[in-house]
Each structure stands twice: as C-alpha cells, then as structure tokens.
Amino acid sequence: MGYHIDSPRQAGTTRRDALGMAAALLTGGVLSAGAAAPRVDQEEPDEACPATYDPDFEAALAEADAALPEDDARGLPPEGPRPRFRLPLRRRFRVTTRYGTRGNWSAGHHTGVDLAVPRGTPVYAVGAGVVVLARWSGAYGKAVTVRMSDGHYAVYGHLSSIRVRQGSHVRAGTRLGSSGSTGRATGPHLHLEIRARRQYGSDINPYRYLARRGAHLW
C-alpha cells in the first residue's frame, strides 16, 4: 500500500492509485478469506466521521459492562488456539477515514476505521463475544458494542438498525444490524473501533488486529 498502517496517511489516494488497486485485485485472482468482492481503498472526505468522545455513552458502557460477568461464555462455541474471525462487511466498501488519522477528535486521532457502504448493508460481528450495549450511543448513533472473548471490545457505530440485544452472545459472522449514518456522521458508513480495554482512548489498529486473526480488510 506504500505506507505504514499504524501511521496517519501523508497524502490522499489518487483515482489512478485506486483504479490500479482494483485492477490488481480483479486480475490477480487472490482475495482474502471471507471477502465477497474486491475492495477499493480510497478516501472520500465528504463522508467523514466526526464522532468523538461521548461521556454519556462511555458512562452507559461502563455501567452495562460492570453488570455482565467477566467470564460469561454461555452459548459460545469452545475456542481453539486460533479463534475464528470474520470481516464486518461482505460487500465492496471504501475506506473513508483511516485509523490514526490526525484531527480534532478527543483522542487526537481517528479511533477506528470508516468503511463506506450504502445504507442498510448488513453488518456482522468480527469475533465471538457478548453484547454489552445495543442502543443509541450518542456520537456513535445506533451502535453495538461487543466484549469479545479475548477481552477486546468492538464498537460498530452509525448503524441504521440493530438486530441484537444487550447480553446476547454472538459468534464471528453473527449479523448485528445494518449500516447507516446515525449519530455524528456525514454519510452512510460503518465505524469499526477495536479497544484493548473498555475505555475511550484504548483503541488499537483494527487492520492489524483483524489481520493477525486471519481477516484482512484488503
């Protein structure tokens, strides 16, 4: 890709670059496991994600998380040495805001990755876990937060609808809801945020997190 995925992007992707990447995927015949179609990695600033720290959401998340047993794994299949992970989308998407992009977010950078898809696109759990919150979540709009079996938290934001309930157990590939633009968003997309802990600011790189578990965003 020509840049380090842990670092902010230094220059926007040109149309020629995007077309070249799409052609390479189409002609190369090599797609990541679980990918239904080639992805064009292209930034579109008109669909930015201004969502940032929301104290009401973080307080609700802390309260809900404390009410759930830490080792609650009812209904989940036993995990082997390499638990199964999936992509959150099964159709073509565009990356509109990358992880780590510098800006006026409370953390000083974009805490997740924004994947632009049409409103109503199915959104799936990337890994197994328990749903901590499934409700309106302030700046994240309608969102689902899952505490995964490895202790990480996944936030799926700006959904148009939610199909799971608080306390539900999900597996990798369970449908959580549909994409949208609720909350602080300027266009339909999925904001996927992976946190090492529950607290805002503990975010980690979702590209690396998923890639190390066999699910590649590109």
Side-chain angles (χ1 to χ4, degrees):
M1 301 295 292
Y3 64 95
H4 196 285
I5 59 177
D6 277 330
S7 302
R9 191 85 187 276
Q10 297 301 317
T13 302
T14 65
R15 183 178 298 275
R16 179 178 298 175
D17 293 334
L19 292 174
M21 285 184 281
L25 285 170
L26 287 168
T27 59
V30 179
L31 292 175
S32 301
R39 273 72 169 168
V40 178
D41 187 19
Q42 178 180 2
E43 289 190 358
E44 294 289 345
D46 60 326
E47 294 179 358
C49 178
T52 186
Y53 178 78
D54 187 293
D56 292 337
F57 165 62
E58 298 300 333
L61 182 59
E63 181 179 358
D65 192 46
L68 293 172
E70 291 187 8
D71 59 349
D72 188 359
R74 293 170 298 171
L76 294 178
E79 292 192 354
R82 293 181 62 85
R84 191 175 188 181
F85 278 72
R86 297 284 187 87
L87 295 178
L89 300 168
R90 297 178 184 173
R91 61 157 295 154
R92 185 186 182 110
F93 59 76
R94 289 180 293 110
V95 177
T96 55
T97 308
R98 301 173 184 276
Y99 172 75
T101 299
R102 298 295 173 182
N104 59 357
W105 293 278
S106 296
H109 63 270
H110 191 236
T111 54
V113 59
D114 290 347
L115 309 175
V117 286
R119 175 185 170 86
T121 300
V123 173
Y124 303 94
V126 298
V130 59
V131 176
V132 180
L133 276 185
R135 46 165 278 186
W136 183 268
S137 300
Y140 292 92
K142 292 181 180 180
V144 173
T145 302
V146 175
R147 184 176 73 203
M148 291 185 285
S149 55
D150 63 1
H152 289 76
Y153 291 73
V155 182
Y156 306 81
H158 308 305
L159 304 179
S160 61
S161 64
I162 294 173
R163 294 183 52 157
V164 292
R165 297 181 179 180
Q166 181 177 350
S168 299
H169 290 80
V170 299
R171 298 178 171 141
T174 296
R175 184 170 177 181
L176 304 177
S178 300
S179 64
S181 55
T182 56
R184 294 189 63 195
T186 60
H189 69 278
L190 169 66
H191 172 89
L192 174 64
E193 185 172 317
I194 305 294
R195 300 181 179 186
R197 300 177 301 282
R198 187 197 69 246
Q199 295 83 359
Y200 180 86
S202 67
D203 54 274
I204 62 173
N205 191 315
Y207 310 112
R208 282 179 172 253
Y209 176 81
L210 291 175
R212 288 169 178 167
R213 291 156 177 80
H216 300 270
L217 282 171
W218 57 64

